[in-house]
Amino acid sequence: MRGVQIVETECRTILNRCTMGFAEYTLNAYQGCPFACSYCYVPVMRERRGQVDSLPWGQWVQVKTNAPDVLRRQMLNVPPEARIAIGTASDSWQPIEKRYRISRRILEELAYYPNPVQVVTRSPLLLRDLDVLRRIPKVWVGVSIPTFDDSARRAFEPHAPAIPGRVHLVRELVRAGISVRLFWCPILYGVADSAEAVRDYLATAASLGVKKVFCETLNYSERLFGPHLRLLRAYREQEGIRGHRSLSRSGLSAEIRHWSERLGVECRL
């Protein structure tokens, strides 16, 4: 792994109460994420909370070695209808999961309970655990794909898995009968926010058999927009892109709504 400091640690809790409305609990098998996407909100939130890291975000990962055991204990007090979201602050199927297999063991624990489980990842490594996903009574997987253009991926998230691998992940999950949702988050300003880009993205989603797409524009733009513009200029120069017409927020919403209805893909923006 490229220059990433790995630290093994033990956690007191692994389930954290969530007040965001999409789940009752969140769960992250690791702290830190080597994918270090340029638009990630997690390091911004850490700064706002006064959390000081010795290394830049993306260059360190803490492994919660006892997470499955802690989860087993905590689940005794979790209501059976409580939703559990995995991967809200770190990708639980990042490269070191091949070695530690903590996320797989977490899925194995959750398979004993009726709780609805949501998994969010951009890693094809999740296919390794397809057998366990099939054993979970209520589960859906959100695959993060901000763009289907791998050259754009290399510009804005160069350390994340390549787009063809993520597309393969989606296809295999759909084929296995697992409910799949795309996370078009963020809709990259200047890249994926034109009328043509909206049409192409949702048409690709429909062709993959995806029925639901979560859409969001760049979070914490006051902190992330400047760096994004610098990457955008470099990307356009490298690819020779001219004439991209970004839609306004209302125009983007209208275009997404139009193609959502036309293609039969439910979208939330």
Side-chain angles (χ1 to χ4, degrees), residues 92-239:
S92 292
W93 279 265
Q94 57 181 272
I96 58 171
E97 169 62 17
K98 294 179 184 177
R99 170 181 163 194
Y100 283 96
R101 301 173 68 88
I102 291 173
S103 298
R104 178 179 175 86
R105 290 164 58 203
I106 282 171
L107 290 181
E108 289 173 339
E109 287 296 330
L110 292 174
Y112 289 109
Y113 299 89
N115 298 76
V117 176
Q118 312 166 17
V119 173
V120 179
T121 186
R122 65 193 67 218
S123 174
L125 178 58
L126 179 63
L127 286 177
R128 179 201 63 186
D129 302 329
L130 191 55
D131 60 322
V132 188
L133 287 173
R134 284 175 167 147
R135 286 161 34 201
I136 298 177
K138 299 176 183 177
V139 63
W140 61 261
V141 175
V143 181
S144 177
I145 307 182
T147 174
F148 284 104
D149 178 1
D150 203 52
S151 62
R153 189 275 308 171
R154 288 192 296 269
F156 296 95
E157 45 177 63
H159 305 298
I163 299 304
R166 295 188 225 181
V167 170
H168 177 68
L169 169 62
V170 172
R171 284 201 179 105
E172 292 303 307
L173 289 170
V174 170
R175 186 175 301 166
I178 303 294
S179 179
V180 181
R181 302 168 190 188
L182 291 189
F183 274 54
W184 192 8
C185 308
I187 300 173
L188 292 167
Y189 172 80
V191 176
D193 58 350
S194 67
E196 296 81 5
V198 171
R199 176 200 63 204
D200 292 347
Y201 189 99
L202 294 182
T204 301
S207 73
L208 291 171
V210 174
K211 301 299 183 184
K212 184 174 291 188
V213 177
F214 291 102
C215 317
E216 185 54 82
T217 51
L218 191 67
N219 286 317
Y220 307 105
S221 57
E222 76 283 356
R223 168 71 169 73
L224 298 174
F225 198 62
H228 176 79
L229 288 180
R230 290 192 288 273
L231 291 173
L232 178 61
R233 283 193 291 269
Y235 165 68
R236 286 180 171 177
E237 289 175 6
Q238 179 176 320
E239 300 297 321

Side-chain angles (χ1 to χ4, degrees), residues 72-90:
R72 186 180 307 118
R73 184 185 71 243
Q74 284 192 273
M75 285 302 295
L76 297 176
N77 298 313
V78 173
E81 70 279 2
R83 297 165 296 171
I84 299 172
I86 301 175
T88 56
S90 178

